[in-house]
Amino acid sequence: MRRCTAVAVDEADRSPAEQSRAVLATPGLTAGEREILRVLGRSEDPDSVGAQILLSVGAAIIEGRLKPGDDLNSVELARRFSSSRTPVREALATLEREGLVEIAARKRPRVRALGIEEVREIYELRGELYGLVSRRIVENCSDDDLDRLREVQAELEEAAAAEDLDRYFWANVEFRNTEARLAANETVRAVLDSVGIRTLQLRHLSLSLPGRIGTSVTDHRRLVQAYEDREAQLAAALTRSIVHRGLAAVERSGWTGFAH
C-alpha cells in the first residue's frame, strides 16, 4: 500500500538520529504521517505493515476521519492491511501510549476521548511552554535563524488565501515545530512533543471553525513581527494568546470528548 521505497542499505551503520531523518525524508509520506514519525522518534522502515497501520490510524484520528469513541476493529484492520493481528495490536498499543487510543480489557479498542478539563490543562501547559520558547527565540536567534519562520509564515499566508484547511493546518504545525527547534531547549521540546500529538486532532478541529484561519494567520504574522523587532515579552504574550484562542475555539465548538 505504501508509495515509497525502503531506506538505504547502509542503515545499520547510521546513528538513530540519522536513521530517523532518513525515514522522514522518505518520499510519499503525508504531512500527518511525517509528524507522527517525528514525534514518536521512529526510525523503522515506513513500508513495514506495522508502520502502515500505525500511520494510517494515527493520521485518521488527527485529521478527524476517526472520531472520539469510534471503535477500532482489530480483525477488520488486519484484513485491510493483509496482516496478522500482532502488528495491529502493536500499532494500537503505540497509539495508546501517545494518548490517541484507549484499550480496555474485554472491550474493543477505540479512539480515546479527551475530556474538556484535560484539554484545558494541556492547552495551559502548551501556552506557558510556548511563551518560554518565544522568549528564547528573541534572546538567542539571529536574523538568519528567523528566515525559516518567515518561510513557513509565507506558506501559512498562501494556504489561508487558498482556503486550504489541511495545507494550513500542517504549515501551522511546522511553524510550531520550527519554533521549538530554534528555542534550542530539548527538555521543553520533548515535553511539547509528549502532549502535542494528543492535541493535533483538537488543533485541526479548532482551525476548521468559521473565521479561524483568518484570525490565526494574522496572529502568526504579528508574532513573526515581534520576533523581528526583538520584543521578547510581546512575542511571549502573542504566542500564549494564539494557544488560548485555539482552546476558546474548541470550547465554542461544544467539544465534550465524544462524537456520539
Side-chain angles (χ1 to χ4, degrees), residues 167-228:
R167 179 182 172 191
Y168 186 88
F169 171 69
W170 289 114
N172 185 288
V173 170
E174 177 58 23
F175 189 99
R176 285 305 194 189
N177 290 346
T178 302
E179 286 180 306
R181 288 194 299 272
L182 290 176
N185 185 319
E186 289 305 311
T187 300
V188 169
R189 186 178 176 186
V191 175
L192 285 169
D193 279 347
S194 72
V195 298
I197 198 167
R198 276 178 279 173
T199 62
L200 286 174
Q201 179 191 40
L202 292 168
R203 291 163 66 187
H204 192 277
L205 167 66
S206 168
L207 288 171
S208 72
L209 299 175
R212 278 287 294 136
I213 287 182
T215 300
S216 174
V217 74
T218 300
D219 286 344
H220 283 80
R221 190 184 303 137
R222 293 171 63 203
L223 178 57
V224 171
Q225 187 64 56
Y227 288 146
E228 292 174 341

Side-chain angles (χ1 to χ4, degrees), residues 36-54:
I36 292 169
L37 287 173
R38 186 195 67 79
V39 171
L40 297 181
R42 303 294 282 261
S43 59
E44 76 269 27
D45 179 5
D47 275 337
S48 71
V49 67
Q52 290 181 36
I53 297 167
L54 172 69

Side-chain angles (χ1 to χ4, degrees), residues 68-205:
D70 282 355
D71 284 341
L72 298 168
N73 189 322
S74 298
V75 173
E76 182 179 311
L77 284 169
R79 184 182 303 115
R80 174 183 166 193
F81 288 93
S82 302
S83 76
S84 69
R85 294 178 65 181
T86 297
V88 175
R89 286 194 295 266
E90 291 173 349
L92 294 182
T94 298
L95 293 171
E96 181 187 35
R97 289 193 294 273
E98 296 303 318
L100 294 180
V101 168
E102 180 180 14
I103 302 175
R106 294 182 296 279
K107 291 184 178 180
R108 183 173 290 171
R110 63 181 183 177
V111 178
R112 183 169 178 249
L114 284 175
I116 191 62
E117 288 306 318
E118 184 177 1
V119 169
R120 287 170 178 150
E121 290 173 0
I122 292 173
Y123 270 76
E124 181 180 14
L125 175 61
R126 290 182 66 245
E128 292 305 310
L129 290 178
Y130 274 116
L132 172 60
V133 164
S134 289
R135 289 193 297 272
R136 286 182 61 87
I137 288 173
V138 169
E139 292 164 1
N140 300 316
C141 290
S142 68
D143 287 341
D144 287 343
D145 292 331
L146 295 180
D147 281 345
R148 178 53 188 152
L149 279 178
R150 296 185 186 101
E151 291 171 2
V152 184
Q153 179 62 26
E155 176 69 13
L156 286 173
E157 301 277 356
E158 291 178 8
E163 299 182 345
D164 188 332
L165 171 61
D166 284 339
R167 179 182 172 191
Y168 186 88
F169 171 69
W170 289 114
N172 185 288
V173 170
E174 177 58 23
F175 189 99
R176 285 305 194 189
N177 290 346
T178 302
E179 286 180 306
R181 288 194 299 272
L182 290 176
N185 185 319
E186 289 305 311
T187 300
V188 169
R189 186 178 176 186
V191 175
L192 285 169
D193 279 347
S194 72
V195 298
I197 198 167
R198 276 178 279 173
T199 62
L200 286 174
Q201 179 191 40
L202 292 168
R203 291 163 66 187
H204 192 277
L205 167 66

